[in-house]
Amino acid sequence: MIQLEVGNLNGIVVIIALIMVGPPVVLTLIGFGLQKNNAKAAKVFYILSALYLLIGLGICGSMMA
């Protein structure tokens, strides 16, 4: 049986890290932008950001382990 060699996976690790951390950072920045005009919408963006980070770290973190 011939085993296939995978090679360098650094790019995949970076992409997975960006997927699990990137959107929560963007949602938090949008929340900071909306905080002055619409505090209720900003709070929703903060909650979405925390939820996405929690789920992203769980799913992507399990793929990286």
Side-chain angles (χ1 to χ4, degrees):
M1 178 184 293
I2 299 173
Q3 293 182 356
L4 297 176
E5 198 168 316
V6 176
N8 190 1
L9 296 176
N10 288 339
I12 301 265
V13 172
V14 170
I15 289 173
I16 290 174
L18 284 176
I19 287 173
M20 71 179 169
V21 177
V25 169
V26 171
L27 288 172
T28 303
L29 291 175
I30 292 172
F32 280 130
L34 290 175
Q35 191 171 15
K36 193 175 202 180
N37 297 337
N38 197 351
K40 219 172 201 182
K43 192 182 294 186
V44 170
F45 274 100
Y46 293 146
I47 292 170
L48 284 175
S49 173
L51 186 64
Y52 193 104
L53 185 65
L54 185 69
I55 292 171
L57 288 175
I59 293 172
C60 294
S62 67
M63 282 194 291
M64 291 179 73

